[in-house]
Amino acid sequence: MTLLDTDPDAGLSPLEFTVTPNPAAKPDEVREEILANPGFGINFTDHMVELTWTVQGGWHSPTVTPYGPIALDPAAAVLHYGQEVFEGIKAYRHADGSIHTFRPDQNGRRLQRSARRLALPELPVAYFTQSLRELIAVDAAWVPSGEDQSLYLRPFMFAKEAFLGVRPAHKVGYYVIASPAGAYFHGGVNPVTIWLSEHYARAGEGGTGAAKTGGNYAASLLPQSEAYENECDQVVFLDKNRNVEELGGMNVVFVYKDGTIVTPQSESILEGITRDSLLQLAADRGHHIEGRSVSLDEWRSGVASGDIVEVFACGTAAVVTPIGVLKGRDFIDEQPTGELALSLRQELTDIQYGRIEDRHNWLVRLDG
Ligand SMILES: *Cc1c(COP(=O)(O)O)cnc(C)c1O
């Protein structure tokens, strides 16, 4: 074994959670009614996970408590300086009733990278995965079983210290909440219309673009409103060299006529786990994959010449969304649509829901 193979969590014993069941847990029939039509991010399960970190004590006080408000001192640093990171990952119910999640080690590692950039403490990946298990242990009944339904898990971490001085907080909370999610698309996957944000950027060189942090989303809200005003569903951002970055919360992928698949890569793009998985599945099918800069000119001229044959966006929530139109201040480019995006989406969701073999060992069982 080389040093690089050493598991940094080796020797770490599992946390001992204190579990307080929710005395006001929703009755079965109320929960079933919610699960019949869950929407997205509207309803929450009966419990949540909480861990505290302090400079003195490290990670401690792991609890599962009734879902409810978090008491914060008005001087809590997150409310003033935005020191916060989060993750998004789903739990899937298989036909045999078992509950699985997808590549949690990747989300755990990304949470560590995000935390590092935001000067927050790094949660060991083993604790991250355990925190998902602990929540499922009490809220398993909230994992829906309908087609394309899942339980969306939202781990997050923020600065809780009551202190208005500007420096990394000495007290931090880590939480996991969960929200049942319905099929993202009803009646088939519809291509989206994308607004090209030319005035606003979401991230800058050396900034926090690669971290999953609330501030990036805050920066995307005004351009997102501009998209709505222009009758578009989503925004795509460029960097200062007019290279394509990503949407507000999804990565972008281009499919070329010769089968090559290209995705923008830069230090200010968030590295999606959905994208990585779809590209792995495409590579398995023999596609050549490239991560590199893609200029707006390459995109527009590639579509015009027929060199680019499909463009899609991807992320955990919607999985894959074909891009049907790119709209800018002075142009509307219809995008070509093909079969690959939806075929990769099908293969990925078939793995996630246990309908086909998980040949990359991406699934991790959360119950039992
Ligand atoms: C979460 C996120 C994505 C998608 O990442 P997945 O791991 O695929 O869900 C893409 N871009 C941004 C900005 C994100 O926050």
Side-chain angles (χ1 to χ4, degrees):
M1 197 162 86
T2 71
L3 201 59
L4 284 175
D5 292 329
T6 308
D7 176 357
D9 296 345
L12 207 61
S13 36
L15 296 166
E16 297 214 7
F17 279 76
T18 304
V19 180
T20 309
N22 188 343
K26 295 209 170 59
D28 291 352
E29 59 281 9
V30 173
R31 187 186 61 243
E32 289 309 323
E33 206 175 302
I34 291 170
L35 295 187
N37 194 4
F40 183 82
I42 308 162
N43 300 289
F44 298 91
T45 65
D46 295 314
H47 299 88
M48 62 188 202
V49 161
E50 177 176 6
L51 258 84
T52 301
W53 177 91
T54 53
V55 170
Q56 300 291 318
W59 290 108
H60 60 270
S61 308
T63 60
V64 175
T65 56
Y67 181 91
I70 298 170
L72 277 187
D73 190 291
V78 66
L79 301 176
H80 305 274
Y81 308 128
Q83 198 190 0
E84 185 266 359
V85 295
F86 68 97
E87 268 304 323
I89 183 169
K90 286 173 169 174
Y92 309 90
R93 193 178 290 283
H94 287 190
D96 66 0
S98 60
I99 299 168
H100 302 254
T101 193
F102 186 73
R103 308 186 73 183
D105 54 313
Q106 293 295 315
N107 293 82
R109 281 160 57 182
R110 187 170 68 191
L111 185 66
Q112 291 184 327
R113 294 197 299 274
S114 299
R116 206 174 305 149
R117 180 62 185 84
L118 273 288
L120 285 161
E122 292 176 38
L123 182 77
V125 173
Y127 290 177
F128 175 83
T129 307
Q130 191 190 353
S131 72
L132 308 182
R133 272 208 182 86
E134 297 286 340
L135 191 58
I136 292 298
V138 289
D139 282 338
W142 284 92
V143 183
S145 54
E147 193 179 342
D148 262 355
Q149 292 188 328
S150 60
L151 183 64
Y152 182 80
L153 302 163
R154 168 55 62 87
F156 58 105
M157 187 193 294
F158 64 87
K160 288 185 96 171
E161 187 187 4
F163 178 56
L164 293 184
V166 182
R167 60 143 169 76
H170 290 174
K171 183 177 178 195
V172 169
Y174 167 78
Y175 297 82
V176 187
I177 57 173
S179 174
Y184 203 86
F185 299 100
H186 294 278
V189 178
N190 292 317
V192 291
T193 299
I194 303 286
W195 174 250
L196 176 68
S197 183
E198 297 198 67
H199 183 65
Y200 300 109
R202 106 174 235 290
E205 220 174 288
T208 57
K212 214 167 174 73
T213 182
N216 294 338
Y217 280 73
S220 76
L221 298 178
L222 184 59
Q224 180 65 46
S225 309
E226 195 179 81
Y228 292 146
E229 282 159 20
N230 287 281
E231 284 146 8
C232 291
D233 307 300
Q234 296 269 337
V235 201
V236 64
F237 293 100
L238 302 176
D239 69 12
K240 69 180 198 313
N241 300 316
R242 294 183 72 77
N243 290 319
V244 180
E245 293 234 292
E246 56 174 317
L247 310 191
M250 293 176 98
N251 295 120
V252 180
V253 177
F254 300 93
V255 184
Y256 285 70
K257 194 169 57 190
D258 68 357
T260 300
I261 299 181
V262 180
T263 189
Q265 198 161 45
S266 89
E267 281 184 4
S268 48
I269 294 175
L270 185 125
E271 296 190 341
I273 294 154
T274 312
R275 177 178 73 168
D276 182 76
S277 308
L278 292 165
L279 296 185
Q280 180 63 57
L281 296 179
D284 294 349
R285 296 181 187 187
H287 288 271
H288 174 67
I289 310 295
E290 290 176 12
R292 59 169 172 81
S293 299
V294 178
S295 68
L296 179 64
D297 283 347
E298 176 177 347
W299 181 355
R300 295 197 59 201
S301 61
V303 166
S305 70
D307 248 8
I308 292 177
V309 294
E310 256 183 281
V311 188
F312 65 89
C314 53
T316 296
V319 191
V320 169
T321 309
I323 294 178
V325 176
L326 174 67
K327 197 168 164 185
R329 275 192 304 241
D330 51 9
F331 69 89
I332 298 179
D333 287 357
E334 297 280 339
Q335 303 295 303
T337 47
E339 307 291 314
L340 187 65
L342 294 189
S343 144
L344 289 173
R345 178 185 208 280
Q346 187 67 45
E347 185 175 356
L348 182 63
T349 54
D350 281 346
I351 293 170
Q352 290 168 331
Y353 287 91
R355 296 186 290 252
I356 60 172
E357 192 204 336
D358 171 26
R359 65 179 181 278
H360 292 287
N361 287 315
W362 282 338
L363 295 181
V364 171
R365 191 163 173 182
L366 289 180
D367 63 323

